[in-house]
Amino acid sequence: MQATYPLDRPITVNGSEKAGFYRSYPVFSWSWCWRRTMIFWPAGILFFVIQSNFLADQLGANRFIGWVLLESSVVAGLIVGTGPVLAAVVRRLRLSRRRELAAIVAALLIGVGVSYALQLRANNAMVEHWPKQFEKAVREKRMTREAADRQLQFYIRAANSPLSIVMQLLIFAGVGGAFALRAYLDERRLWESELRAQEMLALRNQRDEADRKLSVLQAQVEPHFLYNTLASVRSLVRSDPIRAEATIDALVDHLRASLPKFRDSHRMPTTLGSQLELCRSYLEVMRVRMGLRLSYSIDVAPEVAELSFPPLMLVPLVENAIKHGVEPKVGPCSVTIEARKMPGDVLEVVIKDDGAGLKEGPSDGVGLANIRAQLSARFEGRASISLNGRDGGGVIATLKLPAESVPT
Amino acid sequence: MKITALIAEDEVPQRDELRAMLADLCPDLEIVAVCEDGLSALEALESYRPQAAFLDIRMPGVSGLEVARAANNQTHVIFTTAYDEYAIKAFDSGAVDYLLKPIKRERLVLSLDRLKERVKAGSAQDLSSVLSALEGLNRVSKGGGIKWITANIGNTTKMFSIDEVLFFQAQDKYTRVVTESDEAIIRTTLKELLDGLDAEAFWQVHRSAIVRANAIRAALRRDDGRVELKIRGREETLPVSSAFQYRFKAM
């Protein structure tokens, strides 16, 4: 794939700009190149001015400071800039990946080559100067001739030793931008992972949007529940108007919680709290209808209720508890919902009933299977649902999912 | 002509209202028993042998369908139901009468007229085929219908998703269910399971074994020609009978 990411913008990591004055820009881009030069060039000039001063002491050759500055600027500029500038030119050509890498390596080698050529020139100048220097020392009786010859041979050997050449090449490579190659090679990986992160973010936003649409669809109150409740109300109207009223009130609360609030539905994320409110109003209708045979409790701390929670999951589980647990059982029953935040940012929601319990053997249970499928699609193995029988009858359903706060 | 009748309905107000409406619309109807759950309906059926029964389908204990089965051939059944799409389709055959809740007066009048005609005509008709159809709709019937397996493990009962099951193995009249983390014995036979399992996902490989296809790690051919399956995450191997070996020809 062609390098298509922008060269003129800082690289972002996890959405924020990469740290580092020039290193926040793509390696070998213009922005990277000139920002880097702004640091390395003055440093190089300073180094050469000091070195020239030191050499002047040693060689006893004082030069006009303007010349020293000019020469230092040119030399430092060539050493610092040749490789990076050529590499930046290469990057602008937008070659294929392998060609670009080869061309950049070539550019950096040219930079090192230029630097080394300059170094050789300086070396030669010194090697020419040293004999005169030692001659002078011998003349002024500061050194014996043997000592001066030994010292001179040592200087020349040192200047031409392989170790010193390697050291010089390494320094030129470093100053000339070769060490940025690693960052250059890493950059694509970094950029691609950032792109993936952005895609993930987009997907998450899409999912949240879908949630909001789902919560609108949630208006689909289970028909059996609705008709049965209306049948109940109809029967009560004449015989027990007060209870009929209570049933209608509970039903109205449930419908209010279930039916979409169109005006702000597109901004309303689904929280555990909003889902629990649906459960509460549903259970209240059932409690009034069942002649108070049913009791229920919901125990969730306010900060837990604020956590994000997918729609169409909790109410079906509570409906399940009523349909398979409470309705088939004779006598009083209770349903309990508890939620808490567990270590490791896990949200655990537990729905307990003391109804008819689980029957051994195979069953369909499309609703439950849907919840399971939805969990695995949405949280990719980070969420689970388990259903177990309870001692003394009843079922305990446990939902575990990542504790995520609502996107703002 | 007096007609004896039974009412079974778990919600008190609806029960009272139905009784009041029946008394109002058909004074000839003698309500011999009013029951609040399936079990008491069965008992009342036994002791009063009424000519008609108004049965709610969803009831605590024993469902209205089961009560109707007990009442078959001796009692005319009229079901009451709030909303059951599948059931209503089955009812439409006309073999059995049903009332949708909330029950409307006019509709109840129609049902009572029909009831009187049927009582006049003689004995109650055979509902067993209609009931089987309804119960079938209630339970797992279509291929791939099994989504969960409920089994006892030690002292607890657990529901496994069918996706967790690695294989089923017949053991006498029972079946051993093996998942990645648990195993249990259930009283369902392998044959019954086979009817409800998705044939694409679960393969029968032996008279005594059904394996989830993507849980098979390898098929090993022994020197004597027998084929055995290695299952993901399990030490044991499962034998493949020759009739099913064609599945592993390519492996």
Side-chain angles (χ1 to χ4, degrees):
Chain A
M1 200 182 79
Q2 196 90 2
T4 47
Y5 57 95
L7 291 175
D8 52 350
R9 260 184 279 142
I11 293 174
T12 52
V13 177
N14 300 328
S16 53
E17 281 182 22
K18 208 173 146 211
F21 173 60
Y22 65 90
R23 274 178 288 178
S24 55
Y25 287 87
V27 181
F28 304 128
S29 66
W30 277 123
S31 308
W32 179 89
C33 193
W34 76 257
R35 279 180 172 76
R36 182 182 185 277
T37 308
M38 293 310 288
I39 297 176
F40 278 64
W41 199 12
I45 294 171
L46 193 65
F47 173 81
F48 283 116
V49 168
I50 291 168
Q51 195 196 36
S52 159
N53 201 35
F54 170 75
L55 284 177
D57 268 1
Q58 245 199 3
L59 302 173
N62 275 316
R63 287 195 295 164
F64 175 50
I65 185 67
W67 277 117
V68 172
L69 265 177
L70 185 67
E71 193 189 40
S72 298
S73 303
V74 171
V75 170
L78 283 171
I79 291 174
V80 167
T82 310
V85 169
L86 287 175
V89 171
V90 167
R91 279 212 91 168
R92 291 200 66 156
L93 297 177
R94 296 273 188 200
L95 302 171
S96 76
R97 222 179 143 191
R98 285 178 60 184
R99 283 189 178 180
E100 186 178 272
L101 177 61
I104 283 175
V105 169
L108 294 173
L109 283 175
I110 290 172
V112 172
V114 167
S115 306
Y116 192 64
L118 289 168
Q119 171 67 23
L120 279 181
R121 190 181 139 260
N123 257 6
N124 289 340
M126 278 189 286
V127 169
E128 270 172 37
H129 271 287
W130 280 329
K132 294 178 194 161
Q133 181 76 3
F134 284 112
E135 201 60 39
K136 195 176 164 200
V138 171
R139 260 205 321 276
E140 291 169 2
K141 308 267 190 239
R142 279 188 283 121
M143 266 179 149
T144 63
R145 177 151 299 279
E146 291 78 29
D149 279 352
R150 239 189 356 259
Q151 196 91 37
L152 178 64
Q153 288 311 311
F154 175 76
Y155 269 37
I156 292 171
R157 261 210 317 279
N160 293 323
S161 82
L163 185 67
S164 131
I165 291 170
V166 167
M167 284 291 290
Q168 283 165 4
L169 286 177
L170 270 177
I171 289 168
F172 293 140
V175 175
F179 295 162
L181 259 179
R182 224 191 106 168
Y184 165 75
L185 292 171
D186 262 8
E187 194 175 275
R188 177 173 295 270
R189 193 181 49 75
L190 209 69
W191 177 71
E192 276 168 359
S193 77
E194 183 64 14
L195 215 63
R196 266 198 300 278
Q198 277 171 12
E199 274 166 17
M200 283 291 288
L201 193 74
L203 277 176
R204 272 189 68 159
N205 288 341
Q206 236 171 40
R207 186 193 78 187
D208 293 339
E209 183 58 34
D211 276 2
R212 277 167 222 138
K213 283 179 185 156
L214 265 181
S215 69
V216 171
L217 283 175
Q218 199 158 248
Q220 290 178 352
V221 179
E222 215 230 323
H224 193 276
F225 162 80
L226 190 58
Y227 290 121
N228 233 329
T229 306
L230 290 173
S232 192
V233 172
R234 188 187 190 282
S235 317
L236 286 166
V237 168
R238 260 175 256 175
S239 59
D240 190 348
I242 293 173
R243 235 181 99 195
E245 244 175 59
T247 312
I248 289 179
D249 288 349
L251 181 63
V252 165
D253 280 347
H254 183 58
L255 291 179
R256 232 188 265 291
S258 303
L259 292 169
K261 299 167 183 66
F262 280 111
R263 218 166 288 163
D264 54 3
S265 64
H266 62 288
R267 299 191 56 80
M268 206 175 47
T270 60
T271 59
L272 179 60
S274 69
Q275 297 301 304
L276 284 171
E277 207 37 61
L278 282 173
C279 295
R280 187 193 303 279
S281 55
Y282 170 79
L283 285 167
E284 181 58 27
V285 174
M286 291 312 290
R287 192 181 71 90
V288 177
R289 249 180 60 189
M290 291 185 155
L292 314 183
R293 173 162 90 87
L294 171 73
S295 60
Y296 66 89
S297 72
I298 298 175
D299 182 16
V300 178
E303 68 270 17
V304 176
E306 279 168 19
L307 292 171
S308 162
F309 198 89
L312 298 177
M313 215 172 264
L314 212 51
V315 176
L317 279 175
V318 174
E319 279 171 355
N320 243 14
I322 295 288
K323 190 176 161 191
H324 301 291
V326 177
E327 276 185 350
K329 194 189 158 185
V330 181
C333 283
S334 68
V335 174
T336 314
I337 308 177
E338 284 161 11
R340 58 194 155 209
K341 208 170 154 183
M342 310 288 282
D345 274 344
V346 172
L347 171 60
E348 188 188 79
V349 183
V350 177
I351 298 159
K352 279 188 265 190
D353 70 69
D354 54 3
L358 295 171
K359 258 191 235 128
E360 193 204 81
S363 51
D364 47 8
V366 180
L368 268 184
N370 282 348
I371 292 174
R372 207 178 114 89
Q374 209 190 332
L375 280 176
S376 86
R378 184 185 291 267
F379 299 108
E380 293 159 344
R382 292 180 298 141
S384 66
I385 178 170
S386 70
L387 283 106
N388 291 296
R390 290 173 74 192
D391 288 346
V395 176
I396 175 162
T398 310
L399 263 173
K400 282 189 181 139
L401 46 141
E404 289 171 354
S405 45
V406 172
T408 44
Chain B
M1 182 188 62
K2 276 279 181 193
I3 300 174
T4 52
L6 168 159
I7 296 173
E9 161 67 59
D10 62 320
E11 286 196 33
V12 187
Q14 296 191 45
R15 196 160 67 223
D16 293 347
E17 193 204 18
L18 181 59
R19 183 158 62 170
M21 274 204 286
L22 286 174
D24 190 23
L25 292 172
C26 185
D28 289 341
L29 205 68
E30 187 191 346
I31 308 292
V32 290
V34 180
C35 313
E36 60 176 6
D37 56 53
L39 197 65
S40 51
L42 279 179
E43 286 165 3
L45 207 64
E46 185 72 20
S47 40
Y48 298 105
R49 302 198 167 253
Q51 289 165 288
F54 292 85
L55 301 175
D56 185 12
I57 291 183
R58 268 203 210 172
M59 265 190 304
V62 180
S63 83
L65 294 179
E66 287 168 88
V67 177
R69 195 174 276 284
N72 200 17
N73 286 331
Q74 56 155 344
T75 302
H76 295 277
V77 172
I78 295 138
F79 285 118
T80 60
T81 178
Y83 177 87
D84 272 315
E85 222 177 7
Y86 63 87
I88 285 163
K89 242 179 237 159
F91 287 144
D92 274 343
S93 63
V96 57
D97 203 1
Y98 68 95
L99 293 165
L100 273 180
K101 297 182 194 176
I103 298 165
K104 287 186 195 151
R105 242 161 210 280
E106 309 84 80
R107 184 64 186 75
L108 188 57
V109 169
L110 188 72
S111 273
L112 286 169
D113 289 347
R114 257 189 229 165
L115 176 65
K116 282 175 198 159
E117 268 170 44
R118 281 180 181 170
V119 170
K120 217 180 281 174
S123 67
Q125 67 228 99
D126 187 4
L127 297 177
S128 47
S129 59
V130 180
L131 290 173
S132 298
L134 285 173
E135 277 166 357
L137 284 163
N138 254 345
R139 247 190 289 115
V140 179
S141 52
K142 290 152 278 170
I146 297 177
K147 297 273 193 297
W148 302 87
I149 301 285
T150 307
N152 296 313
I153 295 175
N155 298 328
T156 62
T157 314
K158 211 175 137 94
M159 253 176 114
F160 297 103
S161 165
I162 198 70
D163 303 334
E164 291 176 78
V165 176
L166 298 176
F167 61 87
F168 297 98
Q169 200 172 28
Q171 282 191 345
D172 301 327
K173 285 177 200 159
Y174 305 130
T175 299
R176 180 167 162 249
V177 186
V178 178
T179 72
E180 277 160 47
S181 54
D182 283 301
E183 61 172 272
I185 304 286
I186 54 171
R187 269 183 284 258
T188 316
T189 63
L190 215 57
K191 196 181 168 309
E192 288 171 290
L193 283 170
L194 210 53
D195 292 339
L197 289 170
D198 177 2
E200 297 277 298
F202 283 90
W203 293 356
Q204 183 166 28
V205 295
H206 193 272
R207 190 167 31 84
S208 71
I210 303 173
V211 183
R212 195 170 84 217
N214 63 14
I216 299 171
R217 209 180 67 204
L220 307 172
R221 186 171 294 276
R222 298 284 175 220
D223 292 340
D224 56 5
R226 285 181 301 119
V227 176
E228 286 179 358
L229 296 181
K230 294 193 90 171
I231 306 299
R232 187 152 49 75
R234 302 290 301 189
E235 291 293 318
E236 63 201 294
T237 56
L238 289 176
V240 179
S241 39
S242 49
F244 298 107
Q245 282 182 11
Y246 68 92
R247 289 200 197 266
F248 306 102
K249 275 278 152 62
M251 278 176 146

